Amino acid sequence: EAGKVPVPVLQVTADTLIKALEWCEYHCKAERQDISEMEIRDWNEKFMDIDDEMVFNLIPAANFLAIKGLLDLSCKKVRDKIRGKTPE
């Protein structure tokens, strides 16, 4: 039956999937309600106020699930974290 076929998401933990869906739900709502770019940026910043483990889990999850915006946001968080640091 349509809509009742399970989709195996073996590479993504439940917590990570919930977080990814939270991002998708907000961005779908933001698009429908014409939320300003500034509000979206603020929301994204608060959304990414998470521990490193979740950030590193979101990257492959967003890639696997083809959520480009979340992948970009997660990679930016890592980039910003390591910017200016030395290899030591």
Side-chain angles (χ1 to χ4, degrees), residues 65-78:
L65 297 168
I67 308 171
K68 184 181 179 341
L70 180 57
L71 178 61
D72 292 346
L73 184 64
S74 301
C75 289
K76 179 185 177 301
K77 174 79 173 188
V78 172

Side-chain angles (χ1 to χ4, degrees), residues 19-77:
K19 193 73 173 164
L21 289 174
E22 178 186 348
W23 187 90
C24 291
E25 287 172 350
Y26 175 80
H27 282 268
C28 284
K29 180 182 88 171
E31 196 172 294
R32 284 192 313 269
Q33 295 180 357
D34 198 30
I35 294 175
S36 74
E37 286 296 317
M38 181 187 282
E39 287 179 82
I40 293 170
R41 274 193 304 272
D42 289 345
W43 187 90
N44 280 337
E45 188 175 316
K46 289 176 188 153
F47 177 83
M48 291 306 293
D49 188 20
I50 53 178
D51 62 47
D52 291 347
E53 182 179 1
M54 180 58 78
V55 174
F56 287 113
N57 287 337
L58 279 173
I59 291 171
N63 186 50
F64 179 75
L65 297 168
I67 308 171
K68 184 181 179 341
L70 180 57
L71 178 61
D72 292 346
L73 184 64
S74 301
C75 289
K76 179 185 177 301
K77 174 79 173 188

